[in-house]
């Protein structure tokens, strides 16, 4: 009498009845949940991850960041979900925090494209319940394999469930290059790390995660040889094609779009008669569209105009070609747009443009650095404000800065 073998909800083959005890013992040692059912002449195997609830999500504690790559972040999570689901786990991809309260394990993930860094960085944040030596060793090895700098930090967090928080930062590259060179590797590496979290104490149990087809040859009988490979060979020929999501390329919709934002520091010098206030900052223009943006024109609008002077590495038009920075035999940098720039500044507007033609490619950030804003006559109970606008005339595109400089000067109460 033969006993049918089922793995998950699929038939895997059959074993002789007299082999059932040894078979049960062997596969329990391999990490399977083995349930013999002699009444119905079958034995059921389940993966070591069967019944485990793993929640994966974007990091909802990270605020909006202009460098965050939400679409690629989601794609990495979808791949992790597919990999873990194939191992028998119940994987829940969520956007809300409440679902994590009922999870055996929670993985938060965020992805950033950072201008200026030279190599990718993966930072792993975990609590004492979540990480074991195997998990940390796996992440360290996988980061070394992908030439990614690895950082690990344990935090004390009031959480009843184990979690890991993974943050990846990488240099500026196209989305397609990121996925081909790094994205898919990161999805695989993170999945391997999660599996290590569940299997450190019984390493052989990882065999239960292998798809059913690999074990098929062990279970199928033949009257002549005791092992019939033909059904397995036929099954191999009928394997489904690679999942569509692995082949599907995202449809790229052409769009002209940019983000503009300011960063700055305030310096206050205390004098006997009055305080001297100065701001040092930068204006960043990031192309978040798919088209090249050409020749940005910047307008800085200040109020009250008579109290504010804007300067920095900006040259008057008549000397820009002579004094600009030479790079590849071209003059680089920024200049005031009009000969009447000083009069315009006194009226509250400063117009700035590149000395030479300047292109900003998709995912590239161009910056007007070392802006110096002086408050000439600080008046108590006044509001100092500087706003930024960027115009691309060729593309008929206008963008206002996502933030502005705003200072409220109040009178000190005696």
């Amino acid at each position: 009498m033969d006993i049918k073998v089922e793995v998950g909800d699929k038939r895997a083959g059959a074993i002789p009845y007299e082999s059932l005890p040894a078979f049960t013992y062997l596969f329990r040692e391999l990490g399977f949940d083995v349930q013999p059912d002699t009444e119905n002449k079958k034995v059921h195997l389940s993966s070591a991850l069967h019944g485990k609830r793993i929640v994966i999500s974007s990091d909802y504690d990270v605020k909006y960041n202009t460098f965050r790559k939400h679409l690629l972040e989601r794609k990495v999570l979808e791949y992790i979900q597919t990999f873990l689901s194939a191992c028998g786990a119940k994987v829940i991809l969520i956007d809300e925090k409440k679902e994590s309260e009922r999870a055996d394990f929670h993985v938060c993930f965020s992805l950033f494209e950072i201008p200026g860094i030279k190599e990718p960085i993966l930072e792993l944040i975990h609590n004492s319940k979540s990480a074991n030596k195997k998990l940390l060793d796996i992440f360290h090895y996988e980061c070394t394999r992908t030439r990614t700098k690895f950082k690990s930090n344990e935090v004390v967090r009031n959480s009843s469930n184990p979690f890991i928080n993974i943050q990846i930062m990488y240099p500026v590259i196209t989305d397609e290059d990121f996925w081909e060179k790094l994205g898919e590797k990161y999805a695989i590496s993170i999945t391997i790390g999660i599996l290590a979290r569940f299997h450190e104490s019984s390493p052989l149990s990882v065999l239960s995660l292998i798809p059913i087809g690999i074990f098929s040859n062990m279970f199928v009988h033949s009257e002549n040889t005791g092992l019939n490979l033909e059904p397995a060979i036929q099954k191999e020929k009928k394997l489904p094609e690679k999942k569509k999501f692995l082949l599907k390329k995202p449809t790229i919709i052409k769009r002209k779009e940019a983000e503009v934002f300011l960063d700055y520091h305030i310096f206050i010098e205390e004098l006997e008669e009055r305080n001297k206030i100065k701001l040092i900052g930068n204006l960043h223009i990031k192309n978040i569209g798919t088209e090249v943006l050409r020749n940005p024109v910047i307008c800085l609008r200040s109020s009250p105009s008579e109290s504010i002077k804007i300067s920095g590495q900006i040259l008057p038009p008549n000397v820009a070609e002579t004094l600009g920075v030479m790079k590849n035999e071209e003059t680089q940098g920024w200049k005031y747009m009009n000969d009447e720039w000083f009069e315009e500044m006194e009226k509250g507007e400063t117009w700035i443009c590149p000395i030479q033609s300047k292109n900003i490619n998709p995912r590239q950030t161009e910056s007007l650095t070392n802006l110096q804003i002086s408050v000439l006559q600080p008046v108590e109970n006044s509001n100092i404000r500087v706003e930024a606008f960027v115009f691309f005339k060729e593309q008929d595109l206008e963008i206002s800065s996502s933030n502005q400089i705003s200072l409220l000067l109040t009178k000190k109460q005696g």
Side-chain angles (χ1 to χ4, degrees), residues 313-382:
Q313 297 175 344
I314 311 165
L315 298 175
N318 58 337
V319 299
E321 294 290 341
T322 306
L323 299 180
V325 178
M326 293 297 296
K327 184 176 181 181
N328 298 329
E329 299 183 355
E330 290 187 354
T331 307
Q332 301 291 313
W334 301 87
K335 66 179 181 179
Y336 295 107
M337 187 172 178
N338 304 312
D339 292 331
E340 302 81 14
W341 60 273
F342 190 77
E343 290 80 2
E344 290 175 343
M345 188 186 299
E346 289 182 329
K347 295 178 182 179
E349 289 189 352
T350 303
W351 290 85
I352 303 165
C353 65
I355 295 176
Q356 293 287 348
S357 178
K358 186 182 293 291
N359 293 338
I360 307 178
N361 296 318
R363 293 166 294 277
Q364 179 184 346
T365 300
E366 190 67 46
S367 300
L368 171 58
T369 59
N370 197 31
L371 274 173
Q372 300 181 27
I373 303 171
S374 301
V375 182
L376 303 177
Q377 299 174 355
V379 178
E380 294 173 342
N381 298 321
S382 65

Side-chain angles (χ1 to χ4, degrees), residues 227-403:
L227 185 65
N228 183 8
L229 299 180
E230 187 62 28
I233 294 174
Q234 292 176 359
K235 191 179 294 184
E236 183 178 355
K237 292 179 180 178
K238 296 178 182 178
L239 284 175
E241 296 180 359
K242 201 173 185 181
K243 286 190 175 182
K244 291 182 179 180
F245 82 92
L246 293 173
L247 299 175
K248 185 178 179 181
K249 293 185 177 180
T251 302
I252 300 177
I253 301 174
K254 292 184 178 182
R255 67 185 192 279
K256 294 172 287 188
E257 194 174 354
E259 288 182 346
V260 178
F261 56 98
L262 292 151
D263 69 70
Y264 59 93
H265 300 278
I266 303 172
F267 299 91
I268 301 176
E269 183 180 356
E270 293 188 1
L271 305 174
E272 291 184 1
E273 299 178 356
R274 59 181 174 84
N275 292 335
K276 183 178 179 181
I277 302 175
K278 192 170 189 176
L279 297 93
I280 307 293
N282 308 293
L283 175 70
H284 305 285
I285 308 167
K286 182 180 181 182
N287 185 345
I288 60 173
T290 62
E291 303 294 295
V292 177
L293 300 178
R294 296 180 174 85
N295 301 321
V297 172
I298 299 169
C299 176
L300 300 175
R301 183 178 298 164
S302 55
S303 64
S305 57
E306 68 277 2
S307 298
I308 297 175
K309 177 185 176 184
I310 297 177
S311 59
Q313 297 175 344
I314 311 165
L315 298 175
N318 58 337
V319 299
E321 294 290 341
T322 306
L323 299 180
V325 178
M326 293 297 296
K327 184 176 181 181
N328 298 329
E329 299 183 355
E330 290 187 354
T331 307
Q332 301 291 313
W334 301 87
K335 66 179 181 179
Y336 295 107
M337 187 172 178
N338 304 312
D339 292 331
E340 302 81 14
W341 60 273
F342 190 77
E343 290 80 2
E344 290 175 343
M345 188 186 299
E346 289 182 329
K347 295 178 182 179
E349 289 189 352
T350 303
W351 290 85
I352 303 165
C353 65
I355 295 176
Q356 293 287 348
S357 178
K358 186 182 293 291
N359 293 338
I360 307 178
N361 296 318
R363 293 166 294 277
Q364 179 184 346
T365 300
E366 190 67 46
S367 300
L368 171 58
T369 59
N370 197 31
L371 274 173
Q372 300 181 27
I373 303 171
S374 301
V375 182
L376 303 177
Q377 299 174 355
V379 178
E380 294 173 342
N381 298 321
S382 65
N383 188 9
I384 305 297
R385 179 176 297 176
V386 179
E387 302 171 279
F389 305 88
V390 177
F391 303 86
F392 295 93
K393 185 177 180 181
E394 295 180 35
Q395 284 88 12
D396 192 27
L397 183 63
E398 302 178 6
I399 309 106
S400 59
S401 176
S402 58
N403 64 338

Side-chain angles (χ1 to χ4, degrees), residues 157-172:
R157 185 174 296 183
N158 185 19
S159 175
S160 58
N161 297 314
F163 76 94
I164 56 174
N165 190 317
I166 301 167
Q167 184 179 98
I168 294 177
M169 295 162 282
Y170 64 95
V172 175

